[in-house]
Amino acid sequence: MVVMASMDEHERKIVMEFCHLLEKSKQLFNGLRDLPQYGHKQWQAYFGRTFDIYTKLWKFQQQHRQILDTKYGLKRWQIGEIASKIGQLYYHYYLRTSETNYLNEAYSFYAAIRGRAYYSRASKEDRSELMVKKLRYYARFIVVCLLLRRMKLVRELIVELDRHIAEYTSTYEPDDQIEWSLVLDEIKGFVTADGLVSVMHADTNPIVLSHRLSPLTTPPVEKNQYMTLTLQEILIVGSASEQVKFSELTMDMFRMIQTLEREPQEDYNHVYDASPATGRNPYAVPGSKGYMENGERPNRRDNPHKYLLYKPSLSQVLVFLASGFKELPANGALLLYISSDGCFSTTKHPEDMGYDLGGVLTSGRRDGDHKKQKESHCLYPGDLYPFTRRPLFVIVDSDNSFVFQHIPRYFGQPLVTLMSPQDTPPAFQDQQHNGSLFTLFLHSPLTAFCYCCNLTNIPIHHWERCQSFVDRFVTEASRLFTRSRVEPSYLQFFGDDFLRLVLLRYVFCDVVLHLHRAFKSRQYRPRCQPPLPEAELLEHPSLQHLVLDLAAHLEVRTHFMDNHEID
């Protein structure tokens, strides 16, 4: 409660300015939810204004802390709330720009809240909404730590969140008790699924590995004049109904996000009391001229721009695809990744390959009772035809993925479709809630290889030796790729680091599953369109030998066919 009478003029001005900044910041923050989630230019200026006001507010409360403490009654949880909102701003800015440096910024503010125990007295205030704010802060902090691969801290935060949920529910007996218990279960399930294969130190402690693109993992390539395209826009859709998820990220989405980002080059150890916008950010203050010239995005970006959609409606998928399509610069490529349950057709004699064979569900569960009419929330191959006017790269991870192999090239633009196996051997089916094996191959080929061979723990020295086999495979596959008779579409995409990495990991996946005894059925192997040459690439002896050498090194050679069995 502010008692204005007991203040002198200077103190009154400070308190009134703080109240003004606080109210203005809340208005701008609340307005963020009304901004369009697609497109680039519509929201930049608004974000810039919001960052500016929070920068002023943060500096102001630092410079005048004593007066605000004594005359305004500023509480620590209120400072925590400002820091939490700045953390949210940076996280949402990361989501809109795909630049991982902003994740580091969000982490700085969230870590400051915990390090300074800003919310430590929230439970003493006898206000349940404060405890809810504290719990939501923990959930958001965990998401940021997951994306930054700070797994030790994730586990500590889970323990703390568990304790705070118990404290909240015992004190207030709230209606959302079950809801918070489900949130906790989701996080624990997600962390378990993320650690399918553990890489161990000599002291048996697990090592956290990052699978973002780095100079060490960028596949080499012999460049030629066809390699003209760069990946600029990405739409990642996660709709698999039974898959583990947390905070609107399924495990497949989580893995693909990292696969399509570069490793951040700087790791900030910020002074937490510094303003979030004092020029230490390599991209300058978000929304300022240092970041955006004349309303345009900067020419250089570390990462392609991504949209993330969790169980969207079909109309959302089409709107976001259209937005990515519209934003493509010259020589830019659009990637659609969708992980979803199949939507199957009952048409006896399909005439229209675009709509009669079914597709993949964007939201909702698969209906066991096949209806006569077409499913309204099914993305059909035909829905993608308009977007083939520009270079399009499609990855479909589904039990009905193969229906996407018939997309015609009406407009003569580069088009590649990678499709997951439609089925999984019985031994692996009970693990599908932990994420798709196909996406795991695209994310971390060695993890997927170990998983296929029932290896759950691997010492670090073994892992590093095995990774050298995978690196040699990728290098050799890249050489064969550019020298074999592949369709021109592939070569046009192959100059982009991310698309080249995905294509070469696809080749690794196909070769491994072709040789693995448990995956003999054609339904257990992936497909691509246009088809890649078999003799010159997918069944090339040098690639097969590298896979078998890797298996021998891991002492799992019996999982794979002998040389005389390989067709």
Side-chain angles (χ1 to χ4, degrees), residues 236-239 309-317 320 338 361-364 377:
I236 293 176
V237 181
S239 301
L309 294 179
Y310 171 68
K311 294 195 175 177
S313 65
L314 178 68
S315 60
Q316 282 179 298
V317 174
F320 279 77
I338 184 161
L361 282 173
T362 61
S363 63
H377 288 299

Side-chain angles (χ1 to χ4, degrees), residues 213 217-222 393 418 441-443 445 470-482 484 486 490 493-512 532 537-538 543 547:
L213 188 66
T217 57
T218 303
V221 63
E222 299 170 8
F393 196 104
L418 306 183
F441 265 108
L442 301 183
H443 173 64
V470 177
D471 292 344
R472 278 160 57 200
F473 181 102
V474 165
T475 301
E476 175 66 2
S478 181
R479 187 184 69 83
L480 293 171
F481 212 104
T482 51
S484 61
V486 298
Y490 283 108
F493 288 125
F494 208 66
D496 180 86
D497 292 348
F498 291 106
L499 296 178
R500 181 165 71 258
L501 185 78
V502 166
L503 284 167
L504 296 173
R505 287 176 175 176
Y506 171 88
V507 172
F508 181 78
C509 173
D510 188 81
V511 174
V512 169
L532 286 169
L537 184 61
L538 297 178
L543 297 183
V547 166

